[in-house]
Amino acid sequence: MNELHKQISALIDSSSGDLEEIERTLTDGYAHVLELEAEKWRLEKRIAEVAQGLQRGDTAQKVQELSTLAKRVDRNTGDLAELRSVLADLRRHAEAVRLEAALR
């Protein structure tokens, strides 16, 4: 994800206004958002499964797994928020590039 962030920052900071590259990066970014959302869904599903099994024994191991899963969900949620934010910045940049091109 760091590479995607670097690419987005470079596009925003660039004066080239390569709309095709901006659009491709937006598409790649939104695809990554979908991957992160799918992973979050899988983690939350696993949390529910483990929580339901707490009454069936091996509580210590299940509590440890729940803790690990919760940390992964938190990290995932942060990554999603950050990625959505930089994609919104890039989308605004794309709109500015389109407007500038239309005024030429």
Side-chain angles (χ1 to χ4, degrees):
M1 195 156 92
N2 286 335
E3 187 62 35
L4 183 58
H5 283 235
K6 289 177 187 176
Q7 186 178 3
I8 290 170
S9 294
L11 285 170
I12 291 171
D13 295 340
S14 172
S15 61
S16 72
D18 184 351
L19 195 54
E20 187 175 313
E21 186 175 357
I22 292 170
E23 293 292 341
R24 186 174 39 254
T25 303
L26 280 168
T27 300
D28 293 346
Y30 289 123
H32 195 69
V33 165
L34 291 175
E35 290 173 16
L36 288 171
E37 287 176 341
E39 179 184 359
K40 182 179 176 190
W41 180 82
R42 285 189 298 272
L43 290 168
E44 290 171 342
K45 182 178 177 189
R46 180 63 187 149
I47 286 172
E49 291 169 354
V50 173
Q52 288 176 349
L54 279 172
Q55 296 175 344
R56 291 189 290 259
D58 202 6
T59 305
Q61 181 180 354
K62 290 177 181 168
V63 167
Q64 178 63 39
E65 184 178 359
L66 284 172
S67 175
T68 300
L69 290 166
K71 289 175 187 172
R72 289 177 61 193
V73 167
D74 285 345
R75 187 171 46 249
N76 179 286
T77 300
D79 290 347
L80 271 168
E82 184 178 344
L83 183 54
R84 284 184 175 129
S85 175
V86 296
L87 286 169
D89 292 343
L90 184 58
R91 189 173 54 247
R92 282 188 291 276
H93 179 67
E95 290 168 4
V97 168
R98 280 189 204 94
L99 179 61
E100 185 178 317
L103 295 175
R104 288 184 194 169

